[in-house]
Amino acid sequence: MSTPHTKVARQEMIKDWITQGSIHSQIEIVDRLKNSGFDVTQATVSRDLEEIGAVRGRDSQGDPNYRINQESIDEPLSKVSRLISDLLVDVKSSGNLTVLRTPPGGAQLLASALDRASRAGTIPQIIGTIAGDDTVLVVSSESDGAAQNAQLLLSLAQSEQI
């Protein structure tokens, strides 16, 4: 699999490195990105860190490191929860595919929120979605993960309604 050299791909790489707990400085990010084929400056990395919600802190040994602000992590999931409770009409699953039905015009909004939550790492078992007008196809990373995804999405819808 090859990674496109886009801003979104670059920011996703940075997020992955940060969540692995292995980033200690912006210079380190610049070096890693250059080794991955991205031509970036420290100013670009600084903007990326701000946009993805990264904050500088200290690890358990007291060494400086970056982490993703918890609000940046929680926000995509809470948005999915709100949208799914408002838009979900029906759920069916088979193998690694889950089909969500929404009212007309609701599918793309819900799919976009699911994709954002997936990229943010809050629903990592979803690798992507495809949306029509009133139907969202959710693809699971596991060959038999659709039922688990359906259950998770139903529980998110019900938790928002309480």
Side-chain angles (χ1 to χ4, degrees), residues 30-89:
V30 170
D31 290 342
R32 283 187 181 201
L33 287 170
K34 285 185 177 181
N35 288 337
S36 298
F38 288 89
D39 184 23
V40 295
T41 65
Q42 187 173 352
T44 300
V45 168
S46 180
R47 283 188 299 274
D48 285 346
L49 290 169
E50 183 177 336
E51 288 177 20
I52 65 174
V55 294
R56 188 136 186 198
R58 299 224 175 248
D59 64 17
S60 58
Q61 287 78 36
D63 295 325
N65 72 346
Y66 281 94
R67 60 183 168 74
I68 302 297
N69 186 349
Q70 191 61 39
E71 289 176 10
S72 298
I73 293 170
D74 293 341
E75 190 274 324
L77 190 58
S78 64
K79 183 169 185 175
V80 166
S81 219
R82 280 190 313 274
L83 285 173
I84 207 158
S85 70
D86 289 344
L87 297 173
L88 189 63
V89 173

Side-chain angles (χ1 to χ4, degrees), residues 127-160:
I127 60 173
T129 64
I130 299 173
D133 182 49
D134 62 356
T135 304
V136 178
L137 179 65
V138 179
V139 182
S140 172
S141 59
E142 299 295 322
S143 62
D144 60 351
Q148 181 182 2
N149 281 346
Q151 190 60 40
L152 169 69
L153 297 172
L154 283 170
S155 70
L156 285 173
Q158 292 166 352
S159 70
E160 188 67 22

